[in-house]
């Protein structure tokens, strides 16, 4: 009698594809985890290929192989690929045509109308494309783009060769458009914009910033029934006279950005706001109109306003008081660099804004502790407070922030008089995720220990030039804030490798800025490289003890590194060339490093195939072969030549005084 062979059950046979999809959804934020998962077994490898919808390749020459595997790709981001040829677009069309919905070419070049035509024809379901920075794109290319009949979202920022004719072709062919960005398309005027308004009736968001338009086309734009967002930032042709006969009833308009419109005063703004009764967000930053009682009265008709931005404007106390009276539903107010704002005006505003969530008073240098007291007492729901360089605010005022504003998530106290007792109070804000304490010369490790103990949700910490901080304070942060993603300890000269070893426990760390820290060495850097696998941005400029061993560790462990600055370090050719092992490296800065030779730099630049920007010393320009520079530029790499010499660091207090002399 023959024996029946029992097939052994594999451990993953009981898992359905749906269950594996749920697992993949949970680990998808980390590309390294996805890669490890897919390499576990053939089943996981196949299911991961079916599950993935979004791709961001490092090079366009990888596209045939990648898209052959990931057949369900709907979102394709090619911003890492500086050279995308017509052949590349043809590959995209053939392999992902039916499923592709979104394509980002905003940092890509080298394609022509022929490639766009193949893409438009093959990708019948394409609803979004970003062609920003295609500075050579002309009307003929736009006419081809009009073949993408399903297109709904289109970005053409800085396509400076486009004219009204090209925009007209798009308007005729792509009638489903709902979101259009023409920012800095300086060849497009009133005619092209008016054609969009007439042909594309479903437009909801329109960015016309820095276009040479006048108020004439706005008469047509504001008739759009579904328009929710209009941006006319920097449109100098839009003035009071061109809007004097404007009548509209834009019930759908929710966001208006008229910032930097220098020829638009109170009279023209009143015309714009007259029919926008449903407006929720208003941006008038750097406008020429004085925000006074007369202007604020025009806001009566937009009583549901949620956010107003008046950065750099001349704001009177009466104006702020009136804004608080007429728009008491405001949740976000930005007054950055409004040098005329006083305690009286700000206090009268915040007293009436009980639901205020975000407030920016950066560089409002006339404000004192009186304003902070009123903010703390009136705005208990505040989640974001930015008050950089409010130097008249006394140390005692920061106590109230921690006592009264317990819901704070973002706090910018750069260049202020806060001390350790203030940090102790602020540590009561348990939801804090971003804390900026740059140039705060009164804080020490003791103050940081309070933050580390209480603020476990902290994601970003800025200690730029806060020279009272040592390894002890950083250790407290690393121990208590394990979710930290960004830290800046630049020019904190007492920091050593002990801090970097402590920070290596923060495995989610993505950005580390440590320039000007002479006691940091490659040993500490290696600790970060080994444990912080998500490290993407690294600044080690003026760290003379960083050498090749640190870069070798990065080359082996930091495969997600995109940007690095090793200027004024002890790095030589060996270390720099090793960085070519990092496939996604995009930006390299290496200036004033005596251990490098032209041949070593040449080898490193050639080896880093995805490089987009290289910052080098100007003296190297004559030593590098011109053919090499042209080759790298054709590959998509831009060069920035610096001619600065190494300078001794200024004492922080003296540096701060110099800054105050420069900034009004």
């Amino acid at each position: 009698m023959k024996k029946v062979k029992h097939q052994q059950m594999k451990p993953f046979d009981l898992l359905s594809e749906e269950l594996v999809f749920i697992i993949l959804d949970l680990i998808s934020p980390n590309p390294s985890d996805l890669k490890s998962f897919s390499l576990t077994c053939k089943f996981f490898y196949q299911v991961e290929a079916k599950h993935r919808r979004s791709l961001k390749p490092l090079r366009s020459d990888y596209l045939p192989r990648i898209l052959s595997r990931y057949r369900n790709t709907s979102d394709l981001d090619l911003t890492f690929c500086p050279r995308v040829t017509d052949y590349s677009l043809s590959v995209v069309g053939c392999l992902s045509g039916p499923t592709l919905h979104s394509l980002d070419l905003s940092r890509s070049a080298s394609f022509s109308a022929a490639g766009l035509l193949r893409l438009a024809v093959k990708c019948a379901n394409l609803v979004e494309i970003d062609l920003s920075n295609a500075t050579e794109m002309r009307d003929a290319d736009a006419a081809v783009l009009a073949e993408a009949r399903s297109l709904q979202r289109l970005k053409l920022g800085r396509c400076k060769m486009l004219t009204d004719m090209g925009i007209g072709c798009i308007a005729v062919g792509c009638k489903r458009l709902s979101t259009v960005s023409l920012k800095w398309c300086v060849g497009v005027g009133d005619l092209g914009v008016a054609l969009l308004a007439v042909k594309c009736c479903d437009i909801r968001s329109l960015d016309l910033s820095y276009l040479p338009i006048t108020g004439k086309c706005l008469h047509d734009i504001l008739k759009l029934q579904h328009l929710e967002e209009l941006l006319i930032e920097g449109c100098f042709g839009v003035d009071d006279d061109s809007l004097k006969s404007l009548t509209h009833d834009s019930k759908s308009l929710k966001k208006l950005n008229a910032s930097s419109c220098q020829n638009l005063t109170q009279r023209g703004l009143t015309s714009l706001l007259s029919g926008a009764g449903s407006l929720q967000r208003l941006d008038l930053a750097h406008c020429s109109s004085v925000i006074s009682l007369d202007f604020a009265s025009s806001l009566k008709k937009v009583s549901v306003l949620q956010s107003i931005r008046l950065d750099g404007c001349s704001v009177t106390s009466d104006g702020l008081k009136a804004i608080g009276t007429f728009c008491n539903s405001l949740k976000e107010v930005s007054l950055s660099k409004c040098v005329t704002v006083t305690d009286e005006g700000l206090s009268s505003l915040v007293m009436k804004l009980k639901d205020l969530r975000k407030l920016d008073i950066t560089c409002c240098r006339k404000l004192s502790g009186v304003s902070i007291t009123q903010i703390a007492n009136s705005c208990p729901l505040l989640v974001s407070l930015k008050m950089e360089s409010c130097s008249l605010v006394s140390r005692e005022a920061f106590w109230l922030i921690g006592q009264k504003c317990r819901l704070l998530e973002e706090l910018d106290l750069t260049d202020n008089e806060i001390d350790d007792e203030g940090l102790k109070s602020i540590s009561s804000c348990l939801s804090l995720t971003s804390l900026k304490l740059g140039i705060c010369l009164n804080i020490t490790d003791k103050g940081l220990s309070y933050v580390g103990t209480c603020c476990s949700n902290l994601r970003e910490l800025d200690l730029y030039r806060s020279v009272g901080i040592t390894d002890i304070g950083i250790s407290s942060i690393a121990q208590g804030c394990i979710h930290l993603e960004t830290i800046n300890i630049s020019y904190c000269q007492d920091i050593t490798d002990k801090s970097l070893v402590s920070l290596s426990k923060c495995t989610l760390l993505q950005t580390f800025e440590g320039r000007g820290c002479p006691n940091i060495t490659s040993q500490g850097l290696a600790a970060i490289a080994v444990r912080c696998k998500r490290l993407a941005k690294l600044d080690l400029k003026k760290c003379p003890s960083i050498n090749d061993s640190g870069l070798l560790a990065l080359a082996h462990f930091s495969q997600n590194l995109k940007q690095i600055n090793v200027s004024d370090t002890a790095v030589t050719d060996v270390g720099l060339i090793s960085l070519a092992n990092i496939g996604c490296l995009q930006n390299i800065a290496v200036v004033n490093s005596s251990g490098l030779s032209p041949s070593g730099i040449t080898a490193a630049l050639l080896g880093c195939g995805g490089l987009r920007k290289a910052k080098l010393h100007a003296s190297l320009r004559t030593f590098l072969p011109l053919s090499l520079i042209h080759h790298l530029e054709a590959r998509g790499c831009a060069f920035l030549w610096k001619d600065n010499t190494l300078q001794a660091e200024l004492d922080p207090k003296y540096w701060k005084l110099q800054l105050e002399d420069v900034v009004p």
Side-chain angles (χ1 to χ4, degrees), residues 336-561:
S336 175
K337 300 180 182 178
C338 293
V339 295
T340 58
V341 172
T342 63
D343 287 332
E344 178 189 358
L346 186 62
S347 297
S348 63
L349 172 69
V350 298
M351 282 175 59
K352 300 179 180 180
L353 303 181
K354 302 301 182 182
D355 291 331
L356 193 65
R357 307 299 171 89
K358 296 184 179 181
L359 177 63
D360 188 347
I361 49 174
T362 297
C363 294
C364 293
R365 298 179 182 275
K366 293 183 179 181
L367 298 180
S368 69
V370 174
S371 292
I372 305 304
T373 300
Q374 192 63 63
I375 291 168
N377 289 326
S378 301
C379 308
L381 300 179
L382 211 60
V383 296
S384 174
L385 176 60
K386 299 179 181 179
M387 49 178 293
E388 177 182 347
S389 298
C390 294
S391 51
L392 294 182
V393 176
S394 63
R395 302 181 186 185
E396 294 75 21
F398 296 101
W399 262 94
L400 279 174
I401 295 176
Q403 290 177 348
K404 302 286 188 176
C405 305
R406 296 292 183 90
L407 300 179
L408 275 173
E409 299 174 7
E410 180 182 22
L411 183 58
D412 187 349
L413 301 176
T414 304
D415 188 18
N416 273 288
E417 296 300 315
I418 187 172
D419 59 9
D420 291 339
E421 292 302 308
L423 281 182
K424 181 179 181 180
S425 177
I426 285 168
S427 66
S428 300
C429 304
L430 303 182
S431 299
L432 207 60
T433 59
S434 175
L435 179 60
K436 296 186 178 181
L437 300 169
I439 328 176
C440 291
L441 306 182
N442 300 318
I443 63 172
T444 68
D445 296 332
K446 183 179 179 181
L448 275 193
S449 68
Y450 298 129
V451 176
T453 301
C454 301
C455 303
S456 59
N457 293 314
L458 200 66
R459 299 293 195 274
E460 178 184 12
L461 178 63
D462 187 349
L463 297 169
Y464 174 84
R465 289 188 185 270
S466 293
V467 293
I469 303 302
T470 71
D471 294 331
I472 297 173
I474 300 301
S475 177
S476 300
I477 293 296
Q479 187 173 356
C481 309
I482 60 174
H483 300 296
L484 197 68
E485 297 176 358
T486 298
I487 187 167
N488 186 346
I489 54 172
S490 297
Y491 301 106
C492 296
Q493 298 195 354
D494 291 331
I495 297 296
T496 72
D497 285 343
K498 290 182 180 179
S499 290
L500 275 67
V501 173
S502 298
L503 288 170
S504 68
K505 300 173 185 176
C506 302
T507 56
L508 301 180
L509 195 66
Q510 298 178 28
T511 299
F512 177 80
E513 298 186 53
R515 68 165 59 188
C517 294
N519 298 315
I520 288 177
T521 73
S522 291
Q523 185 176 355
L525 178 59
I528 294 280
V530 170
R531 300 193 64 180
C532 303
K533 301 295 187 181
R534 298 189 183 187
L535 192 66
K537 181 181 178 182
L538 186 59
D539 187 349
L540 298 168
K541 183 179 180 180
K542 298 182 182 178
C543 295
S545 298
I546 295 294
N547 55 31
D548 293 340
S549 62
L551 266 63
L552 289 170
L554 288 173
H556 185 72
F557 295 104
S558 301
Q559 289 302 305
N560 289 314
L561 193 65

Side-chain angles (χ1 to χ4, degrees), residues 184-405:
W184 283 110
C185 291
V186 293
V188 178
D190 287 330
L191 178 59
V193 174
L195 282 171
L196 273 176
V198 172
K199 297 293 183 180
C200 305
C201 299
D202 292 331
I203 288 183
R204 285 169 167 75
S205 175
L206 185 59
D207 190 348
L208 306 175
S209 300
Y210 300 99
L211 264 61
I213 59 172
T214 68
K216 181 180 179 180
C217 67
L218 295 183
H219 291 257
D220 295 311
I221 291 298
L222 291 172
K223 292 178 182 177
L224 289 167
Q225 296 295 313
H226 307 291
L227 185 67
E228 297 179 359
E229 183 179 57
L230 176 62
L231 292 80
I232 53 172
E233 177 183 358
C235 292
F236 300 113
V238 178
D239 56 18
D240 297 342
D241 291 336
S242 61
L243 294 176
K244 63 183 179 181
S245 60
L246 180 66
T247 57
H248 67 98
D249 187 14
S250 303
K251 294 180 180 179
S252 61
L253 191 64
K254 293 181 174 60
K255 178 179 179 180
L256 174 63
N257 183 345
S259 60
S260 300
C261 289
Q262 295 297 322
N263 295 319
L264 197 59
T265 67
Q266 175 186 328
R267 185 159 54 93
L269 287 170
T270 301
S271 299
L272 271 176
L273 297 174
S274 61
S278 301
L279 198 66
Q280 296 179 7
R281 306 182 67 85
L282 177 61
D283 190 342
L284 301 177
H286 309 291
C287 71
S288 58
S289 183
V290 176
I291 309 301
S292 61
L293 175 61
D294 292 337
F295 169 76
S297 299
S298 65
L299 296 177
K300 290 180 181 179
K301 298 178 180 179
V302 288
S303 57
V304 296
L305 201 64
Q306 303 286 303
S307 171
I308 188 167
R309 182 170 173 251
L310 302 172
D311 299 356
C313 293
S314 180
V315 185
T316 69
S317 296
D318 288 341
L320 286 178
K321 184 177 181 180
I323 290 174
T325 301
F326 300 136
C327 305
N328 53 23
S329 60
L330 277 171
K331 290 182 172 59
E332 299 178 17
V333 175
S334 183
L335 300 169
S336 175
K337 300 180 182 178
C338 293
V339 295
T340 58
V341 172
T342 63
D343 287 332
E344 178 189 358
L346 186 62
S347 297
S348 63
L349 172 69
V350 298
M351 282 175 59
K352 300 179 180 180
L353 303 181
K354 302 301 182 182
D355 291 331
L356 193 65
R357 307 299 171 89
K358 296 184 179 181
L359 177 63
D360 188 347
I361 49 174
T362 297
C363 294
C364 293
R365 298 179 182 275
K366 293 183 179 181
L367 298 180
S368 69
V370 174
S371 292
I372 305 304
T373 300
Q374 192 63 63
I375 291 168
N377 289 326
S378 301
C379 308
L381 300 179
L382 211 60
V383 296
S384 174
L385 176 60
K386 299 179 181 179
M387 49 178 293
E388 177 182 347
S389 298
C390 294
S391 51
L392 294 182
V393 176
S394 63
R395 302 181 186 185
E396 294 75 21
F398 296 101
W399 262 94
L400 279 174
I401 295 176
Q403 290 177 348
K404 302 286 188 176
C405 305

